[in-house]
Amino acid sequence: MRPWLRSPRYSTDISCSQDSKAMNGRKILLIFLSVILTSLIAASFEELEKSWLELIDRIVREPGSDQLIALGKRIAAKRRLAEIEVLREAVLDENFEKFIAKLTEANEVREDLFDECLVLFPNLKDEIAAFEKGDFTKLGTVCPLWKVGYKPKLPQDLGSWFVRAFLKDPFLLDWNFVFFLKNAVNKEVVAKRIREECEKLKNEEDSYPALYRLVSLAKQLDGVSSKLESELSTYMELLTHLQRLANENVSKEELNEISQRLNGLTLRKDNLKSMLMHVAERTGTKQVLKDTTKKNLSEKISKNQLLFIFPALALLIIFLLPRKLKIKLFTFLRAYKLAIKICQKELKIEPTNIELRTQLAMLYERTGEMERAFQEYKIVRDLSRMIKKDQTRSRA
């Protein structure tokens, strides 16, 4: 063998050339598949138009045929629904599951197509009837139907069920569900039930960010303000304010104003009091606080300060404990910022970790960073859909 054939540079060039050919091959294959799919959809649409013309011709030839009524309704429904591009493939294939999935993702709203959906997919009537009788497993099927004009009559227990379900899975409250409720004929009943369930949980301080989202939803549905909604709004404002002041300078007047607003709350506020005392001690303005529970709060802070007596133990926790335990520990100690930093650091290594992103979103809620929490929930929703699609493809 000639020496130049054994050259490492020559081998690398051959490898790169092979990789380039493979990539080009994959691109050509994807383009080829896209063209085929587009052609199939176009062909199906042409067949639909042909069927429509044949129906018209048959009506002229057989105006008294009973079969033409059902056939005509079906072809007409299919033709109208196929006008929505994102739904076209599912409509032409008459694939019910794909139709619901595409309708969930669709941004276009056509409130005049509900009857056509019932004609093309008659099993929808059974799904809707089951949901309206209280079968909440059908929610995923009926929820996107508001986009085609469905005005649901919601089960009376939906509000109670949703509060419990939302506290376990915050992703249930997406824009589809909000507009689904807004289009309901009895949305006021659901709004009332949501507020009643939240009232039962008003002593669970760690749930206040979630409860605030729920009572805000109830207000969107019926426009009714409540004392709980007002107090939770104040709580969230104070939480956000104190979080911002954790590392900033604060005047005595500002601290006193926050203290007065906090004392006006009738909700539990242990977390807020601890944060307020921390800011006061850091800035040397502790004496301006007029909270009658100041002594107890000082004792709590003194207990927390014991953590700084054991720096070696703190280092051990930070560097040796597994990630999940560290996050849980800092969350229990209400050191939410530390827990958030750990989550952010781990997500740089595992950006598609759904569990970790969910924890981060919940931590953002507890610190009052609602916008960032919402963005994380959207990422988790998209990742979940992507994983579900990958699993479906693997099974296929």
Side-chain angles (χ1 to χ4, degrees):
M1 183 180 290
R2 294 185 179 89
W4 57 271
L5 288 176
R6 297 191 299 270
S7 169
R9 181 178 178 181
Y10 180 76
S11 300
T12 304
D13 291 342
I14 292 175
S15 176
C16 291
S17 176
Q18 290 174 343
D19 291 342
S20 178
K21 287 179 179 178
M23 288 182 65
N24 290 334
R26 286 194 290 271
K27 288 180 180 178
I28 292 171
L29 179 59
L30 286 173
I31 293 171
F32 180 68
L33 291 174
S34 299
V35 171
I36 290 177
L37 182 59
T38 304
S39 301
L40 289 173
I41 294 173
S44 299
F45 198 64
E46 289 175 5
E47 287 293 325
L48 180 60
E49 290 297 312
K50 184 179 178 182
S51 299
W52 178 253
L53 294 175
E54 288 176 354
L55 174 65
I56 295 174
D57 183 59
R58 188 174 172 186
I59 291 172
V60 174
R61 288 185 289 105
E62 306 173 38
S65 175
D66 294 335
Q67 296 179 350
L68 292 179
I69 297 176
L71 180 61
K73 284 184 177 180
R74 190 171 188 82
I75 294 176
K78 201 169 184 179
R79 194 165 182 259
R80 291 200 68 201
L81 287 170
E83 292 174 0
I84 303 178
E85 187 175 352
V86 71
L87 302 178
R88 185 171 299 162
E89 184 181 352
V91 168
L92 294 175
D93 293 341
E94 297 187 26
N95 187 321
F96 177 67
E97 292 183 358
K98 184 185 290 187
F99 174 78
I100 293 299
K102 292 298 181 181
L103 186 60
T104 302
E105 299 172 359
N107 293 320
E108 187 174 351
V109 177
R110 287 282 302 274
E111 296 185 353
D112 58 337
L113 294 176
F114 181 55
D115 290 337
E116 282 77 2
C117 294
L118 295 179
V119 170
L120 190 60
F121 302 108
N123 58 316
L124 257 180
K125 294 181 181 179
D126 295 332
E127 299 284 316
I128 292 171
F131 169 75
E132 292 187 351
K133 289 179 180 178
D135 185 356
F136 300 128
T137 62
K138 305 296 183 182
L139 181 61
T141 299
V142 301
C143 189
L145 294 177
W146 69 270
K147 297 176 185 177
V148 291
Y150 171 48
K151 304 289 185 183
K153 183 178 181 181
L154 303 172
Q156 291 189 354
D157 292 336
L158 178 63
S160 303
W161 171 84
F162 180 69
V163 170
R164 296 190 298 269
F166 175 75
L167 292 176
K168 295 178 181 177
D169 181 11
F171 308 116
L172 287 174
L173 186 55
D174 60 8
W175 71 282
N176 256 315
F177 186 69
V178 172
F179 280 95
F180 173 71
L181 294 180
K182 285 185 174 181
N183 280 271
V185 297
N186 59 338
K187 56 188 177 184
E188 295 81 6
V189 175
V190 174
K192 182 180 179 182
R193 284 295 181 90
I194 288 175
R195 275 191 287 268
E196 289 173 353
E197 288 297 318
C198 290
E199 284 284 350
K200 297 175 183 178
L201 302 169
K202 65 180 181 181
N203 289 325
E204 298 184 14
E205 188 174 0
D206 288 340
S207 298
Y208 285 173
L211 295 182
Y212 179 61
R213 291 178 67 188
L214 289 167
V215 294
S216 297
L217 171 64
K219 187 176 181 179
Q220 288 182 56
L221 296 180
D222 61 5
V224 176
S225 299
S226 65
K227 182 180 179 182
L228 179 61
E229 186 264 335
S230 176
E231 290 233 323
L232 285 172
S233 177
T234 302
Y235 182 97
M236 296 305 298
E237 289 176 8
L238 289 171
L239 179 65
T240 304
H241 197 176
L242 287 169
Q243 186 68 32
R244 179 177 60 82
L245 292 178
N247 298 308
E248 294 182 7
N249 292 327
V250 56
S251 65
K252 294 181 179 180
E253 292 76 13
E254 185 177 6
L255 200 64
N256 191 40
E257 181 183 349
I258 295 173
S259 177
Q260 290 176 356
R261 289 188 69 192
L262 189 150
N263 290 335
L265 286 176
T266 59
L267 295 173
R268 287 191 62 177
K269 48 203 172 185
D270 294 343
N271 294 347
L272 293 183
K273 288 179 180 178
S274 296
M275 294 175 68
L276 182 62
M277 290 300 296
H278 174 74
V279 172
E281 288 198 342
R282 181 181 60 80
T283 57
T285 53
K286 182 179 176 182
Q287 66 277 9
V288 303
L289 297 181
K290 300 178 180 179
D291 194 339
T292 56
T293 60
K294 181 171 61 175
K295 182 177 179 180
N296 293 333
L297 291 172
S298 299
E299 291 174 357
K300 289 182 181 179
I301 290 177
S302 298
K303 291 178 181 178
N304 289 335
Q305 288 176 340
L306 292 175
L307 294 173
F308 299 100
I309 299 175
F310 307 102
L313 181 60
L315 290 174
L316 185 65
I317 292 172
I318 294 172
F319 292 107
L320 298 182
L321 280 180
R323 180 200 70 205
K324 289 183 179 180
L325 290 179
K326 283 192 283 189
I327 294 173
K328 287 182 178 179
L329 177 61
F330 288 132
T331 302
F332 175 76
L333 295 174
R334 298 190 177 93
Y336 299 130
K337 278 201 167 184
L338 288 174
I340 287 172
K341 286 182 179 179
I342 295 172
C343 285
Q344 291 172 336
K345 183 177 179 181
E346 292 297 327
L347 280 172
K348 290 180 180 179
I349 302 172
E350 298 179 72
T352 60
N353 189 315
I354 291 179
E355 180 184 356
L356 197 57
R357 285 199 177 276
T358 302
Q359 288 178 315
L360 180 59
M362 294 176 71
L363 287 167
Y364 279 143
E365 281 194 337
R366 292 189 177 187
T367 58
E369 297 176 81
M370 307 306 294
E371 187 63 30
R372 300 183 74 175
F374 181 69
Q375 291 299 323
E376 289 298 328
Y377 284 137
K378 285 178 65 178
I379 293 172
V380 171
R381 181 193 63 188
D382 293 337
L383 286 173
S384 300
R385 288 177 177 172
M386 182 179 68
I387 291 171
K388 187 176 181 180
K389 287 180 180 179
D390 289 341
Q391 290 174 345
T392 302
R393 289 172 184 167
S394 299
R395 287 196 295 269

